[in-house]
Amino acid sequence: MKLSNQEILFIDQYLQKADVIFVDVRSELTDHIASAVEEKMEVEELSFYDAFKAYMVENKKMLLATSRLNFTNYKNGMIRFSKTFIKPQNIFFAIMLLFGFRYLNQLISLEMMSQVLFFMIFLFAFVQAIYTFFIIKKRYLYLENSSSVLLVIYYVNLFSNGFGLHAKNFIGNQFSIGITLFLLFAYVGYCVTTIRKFRIKYS
Amino acid sequence: MGFKFFIPKYFMYKKLMYICNSKLKMKMKNSQLYKGSLNTIIMKLLEENGKMYGYEITQKVKAITLGELHITEGALYPALHKLEAEGLLDVEVEKVDNRLRKYYKLTETGTKETVNRLAELEDFIRNMQSLVNPKLEF
């Protein structure tokens, strides 16, 4: 027995009211619940609402627990990001940075570079927020769990280079700046890949 | 010929039934001993069936173990998402019966990793079998 459009919409709205904010998580849960309800309706000969109620009484807590943005989801973002390090363009960029800093020092001071890094981190966070809230206008866990990576880069920069908004607070050196720049470069590559995959999957 | 070819499929899943973490409904109480094998169960199923969606995986496990093992949603989806993040699974979204359905399938790396993990699990089962019940032969 297949559920109608209205019944699917009912499940979706139920989950929305239960604070399942991410569209991708919600659609997966909707499909899971709908499949279970369809089976229940067929086997136990129940109406949609009875089958839905019976299923949710038993499984609601467990289902909703999987829908929150928690440490496990952030960790998944980190794991996915860590796979980007072995890409040839990132390794090439890291080697270029290693040799390039000898000349880069003469063009721009490390203190100034640290300030630029802070600016870039905030800029990326801002661009991500704009993309989520003004371009796609929906929240996807697949995209948002990558924000943990930017947070880690922010802290790496903070602890290795100092608080970059004031040049006098600079505590880093060319290697710490290089590592942060490399991470940021890898992050941009990771974001582009993630958005591209996301568009293919959810187009 | 590998060890796995001598084990009937049903018997193997009956063994796997005991190998799961605390979030699975199961008979065995000391499940911490076997934590971590849920991923291998998922990968094995995907290797056999090509692509599957979440609910289908729970039902398949239930059917193979004759209802004795039930993977809950709270264990299944975090495991699937982690395997996807690790690059072992890929995702396809399709519109089926008025709704979006997310299918999981093994990547190339995932297929290779499944072979390793199954071999590891089979070694584990064999060793445990030797320790617990040395008289029983496969």
Side-chain angles (χ1 to χ4, degrees):
Chain A
M1 192 178 289
K2 301 294 171 203
L3 298 187
S4 66
N5 266 338
Q6 282 75 21
E7 288 163 340
I8 300 290
L9 199 65
F10 175 86
I11 299 172
D12 187 70
Q13 284 174 348
Y14 176 89
L15 291 173
Q16 219 168 334
K17 280 179 189 165
D19 283 339
V20 184
I21 50 171
F22 299 109
V23 177
D24 47 349
V25 176
R26 207 164 61 232
S27 70
E28 190 166 34
L29 289 183
T30 302
D31 180 49
H32 188 98
I33 295 167
S35 304
V37 168
E38 279 172 354
E39 196 186 281
K40 229 176 175 52
M41 284 165 75
E42 211 164 294
V43 176
E44 298 174 29
E45 293 180 355
L46 295 172
S47 69
F48 167 73
Y49 290 105
D50 288 338
F52 177 74
K53 206 169 132 185
Y55 181 77
M56 290 312 282
V57 164
E58 206 181 322
N59 299 290
K60 185 181 174 183
K61 201 177 167 188
M62 189 78 80
L63 279 168
L64 297 184
T66 65
S67 66
R68 309 267 183 261
L69 186 56
N70 52 27
F71 179 71
T72 312
N73 292 324
Y74 281 130
K75 203 171 73 182
N76 286 344
M78 293 295 298
I79 293 169
R80 202 176 285 133
F81 174 68
S82 68
K83 306 283 175 190
T84 62
F85 281 111
I86 46 170
K87 288 192 173 171
Q89 68 265 30
N90 291 348
I91 295 164
F92 176 75
F93 184 73
I95 294 166
M96 288 295 286
L97 269 181
L98 196 71
F99 292 108
F101 254 114
R102 188 180 296 173
Y103 305 103
L104 207 65
N105 260 344
Q106 293 159 0
L107 296 172
I108 182 170
S109 70
L110 290 175
E111 288 84 353
M112 177 68 90
M113 199 64 201
S114 169
Q115 287 175 323
V116 170
L117 274 175
F118 256 92
F119 174 74
M120 280 165 74
I121 291 169
F122 285 117
L123 184 73
F124 286 143
F126 183 69
V127 168
Q128 267 190 330
I130 294 284
Y131 185 74
T132 303
F133 293 106
F134 295 100
I135 297 175
I136 54 173
K137 294 176 185 168
K138 284 175 185 170
R139 297 184 68 180
Y140 288 85
L141 181 66
Y142 186 77
L143 293 177
E144 286 195 30
N145 65 13
S146 64
S147 57
S148 58
V149 179
L150 198 58
L151 195 68
V152 169
I153 296 172
Y154 172 79
Y155 280 110
V156 166
N157 186 37
L158 193 70
F159 289 113
S160 59
N161 297 322
F163 191 62
L165 288 179
H166 303 287
K168 61 177 182 176
N169 293 332
F170 181 69
I171 55 166
N173 53 37
Q174 62 190 59
F175 293 106
S176 62
I177 291 277
I179 288 166
T180 321
L181 249 180
F182 168 66
L183 286 172
L184 217 51
F185 178 79
Y187 179 71
V188 173
Y190 164 73
C191 278
V192 171
T193 317
T194 307
I195 291 171
R196 199 180 291 158
K197 276 187 183 172
F198 162 79
R199 280 185 171 173
I200 295 167
K201 283 171 190 167
Y202 294 95
S203 61
Chain B
M1 191 180 281
F3 178 72
K4 67 179 175 182
F5 297 109
F6 293 110
I7 309 172
K9 201 181 280 181
Y10 170 71
F11 188 71
M12 189 166 168
Y13 279 106
K14 286 286 280 183
K15 289 280 170 195
L16 287 175
M17 183 182 76
Y18 298 104
I19 302 165
C20 33
N21 66 21
S22 58
K23 284 177 182 172
L24 304 180
K25 287 179 187 170
M26 47 189 284
K27 287 182 175 177
M28 197 157 179
K29 285 179 181 173
N30 197 2
S31 58
Q32 286 301 313
L33 283 172
Y34 306 101
K35 198 177 174 184
S37 293
L38 173 63
N39 290 352
T40 313
I41 297 173
I42 293 168
M43 289 164 79
K44 171 75 181 164
L45 285 172
L46 291 172
E47 189 195 42
E48 284 175 358
N49 297 285
K51 61 176 187 179
M52 295 174 91
Y53 57 96
Y55 186 74
E56 192 184 3
I57 294 172
T58 61
Q59 294 308 296
K60 193 82 180 172
V61 172
K62 211 172 162 182
I64 291 169
T65 60
L66 302 178
E68 291 201 57
L69 174 62
H70 177 221
I71 302 178
T72 61
E73 300 81 357
L76 177 70
Y77 288 109
L80 285 170
H81 296 163
K82 187 168 180 276
L83 287 170
E84 189 202 345
E86 284 171 352
L88 301 175
L89 299 188
D90 203 3
V91 165
E92 266 177 30
V93 182
E94 283 177 27
K95 194 163 186 183
V96 180
D97 300 331
N98 306 321
R99 57 187 185 257
L100 290 177
R101 179 162 286 168
K102 199 171 171 184
Y103 284 100
Y104 293 91
K105 61 178 183 182
L106 287 171
T107 58
E108 207 174 307
T109 323
T111 311
K112 286 175 193 163
E113 186 63 22
T114 306
V115 176
N116 297 336
R117 289 197 189 188
L118 277 173
E120 207 175 300
L121 185 59
E122 280 155 10
D123 277 348
F124 174 76
I125 295 169
R126 191 171 40 193
N127 290 333
M128 289 309 289
Q129 190 65 62
S130 315
L131 287 167
V132 175
N133 194 358
K135 285 173 190 171
L136 187 67
E137 294 287 330
F138 288 116

